[in-house]
Amino acid sequence: MLRLTVDNKDFIDDIIITEDTILNIKLDNCDQEINIDVMDNMCLEVFELDNNTSNKITYNLRSNAQVIVNKLARNNSDITKVNLNGERASIKYYTNIMNYSNNVYDFKINHNASYTESDIVNHCVNFTDKEFKFLVDSDVKKESVECNCNQDNKIIDINNGKNFISPNLLVDNDLINANHSAYIGKFKKDVVFYLKSRGIRDKECNSLLIKGFLLEKMNLD
């Protein structure tokens, strides 16, 4: 298993994965264009930590490639594209954003081959009255059959921010499983009440809920 770390000190252009790899990405105040190509039968696990970034990141997966991305970000306006180009390629992509300014996170996944799978989870906590948008497109081509395509998009609003989710499924055939969801709002009152009934104060309660919301589906071992 190869372990690779890239950060602002590196000029990141093309990353080609030719063996099973754990990739750590740490980017701060940058605007880069990054292409990650995952070859046939390779496994890639990504841990990405971003602060104030507007990157363009593209993943290209060949046959039987498997990718898991765990992304934690503050003030993120990345454009992310995933191309599932080979049969039985699969990706699990968990994005978690803490928002304090006006940002748009744009995500597009293309099922360009049959038997491909995508599980996309986009979570954001908007702490201020600023604007945050999720723009999420899942595109399944007519010739791509027996695909699984799932989206889970949520924004938790802390201080009456301007929040928007556009979850789109662009599907040209019936031989797939496709689901999407979108939620904008506060933490559920019954959950807050339960924590308070156990003697947890307001500030600690919010902290626990935010931490759980942002990290619940991430694979952080």
Side-chain angles (χ1 to χ4, degrees):
M1 177 74 72
L2 175 67
R3 292 180 180 269
L4 179 64
T5 299
V6 295
D7 57 28
N8 283 20
K9 294 179 291 184
D10 303 300
F11 175 74
I12 308 169
D13 187 6
D14 292 336
I15 299 174
I16 301 175
I17 304 300
T18 58
E19 61 180 289
D20 293 349
T21 302
I22 294 175
L23 174 62
N24 297 311
I25 301 175
K26 299 179 181 180
L27 300 173
D28 183 42
N29 291 295
C30 70
D31 180 357
Q32 295 204 46
E33 188 165 340
I34 305 169
N35 296 298
I36 301 174
D37 297 330
V38 187
M39 299 295 104
D40 294 344
N41 305 308
M42 294 298 105
C43 295
L44 172 65
E45 189 165 10
V46 179
F47 298 92
E48 183 178 346
L49 187 62
D50 295 335
N51 180 52
N52 293 322
T53 60
S54 298
N55 298 309
K56 294 180 180 179
I57 304 176
T58 300
Y59 286 85
N60 299 301
L61 280 67
R62 297 196 184 183
S63 298
N64 293 304
Q66 298 179 4
V67 175
I68 300 174
V69 180
N70 299 275
K71 177 181 183 128
L72 184 62
R74 180 182 184 276
N75 291 337
N76 188 278
S77 282
D78 285 358
I79 298 174
T80 301
K81 181 186 289 186
V82 176
N83 297 311
L84 301 175
N85 294 327
E87 288 192 358
R88 304 189 188 283
S90 68
I91 189 163
K92 295 181 179 181
Y93 207 113
Y94 306 130
T95 299
N96 297 277
I97 298 173
M98 296 167 284
N99 191 67
Y100 296 90
S101 59
N102 295 321
N103 289 289
V104 178
Y105 183 73
D106 193 332
F107 192 105
K108 183 166 185 177
I109 182 160
N110 298 306
H111 286 256
N112 297 326
S114 298
Y115 312 109
T116 50
E117 297 186 7
S118 63
D119 185 15
I120 309 304
V121 178
N122 296 309
H123 285 181
C124 174
V125 178
N126 193 356
F127 287 93
T128 70
D129 61 354
K130 301 297 185 180
E131 181 178 80
F132 185 82
K133 295 182 179 180
F134 274 136
L135 307 179
V136 188
D137 292 342
S138 298
D139 190 354
V140 183
K141 302 296 187 291
K142 185 176 182 179
E143 62 276 11
S144 302
V145 299
E146 300 294 336
C147 298
N148 291 312
C149 178
N150 298 296
Q151 290 184 25
D152 173 15
N153 307 291
K154 294 179 182 177
I155 300 175
I156 296 297
D157 180 63
I158 300 297
N159 196 29
N160 298 317
K162 303 175 182 67
N163 304 296
F164 179 81
I165 298 174
S166 176
N168 299 306
L169 294 175
L170 310 173
V171 179
D172 282 344
N173 68 68
D174 296 327
L175 299 176
I176 71 160
N177 295 314
N179 299 281
H180 70 98
S181 65
Y183 172 81
I184 298 174
K186 310 288 186 181
F187 289 117
K188 293 182 179 179
K189 292 182 179 180
D190 57 341
V191 176
V192 176
F193 176 79
Y194 175 82
L195 292 175
K196 289 183 178 180
S197 70
R198 296 300 185 271
I200 300 175
R201 297 179 180 178
D202 285 349
K203 187 174 181 180
E204 294 171 334
C205 179
N206 279 335
S207 179
L208 285 172
L209 289 171
I210 290 168
K211 190 173 184 179
F213 174 72
L214 291 175
L215 302 180
E216 64 175 327
K217 292 192 175 182
M218 294 183 72
N219 178 21
L220 298 177
D221 287 339

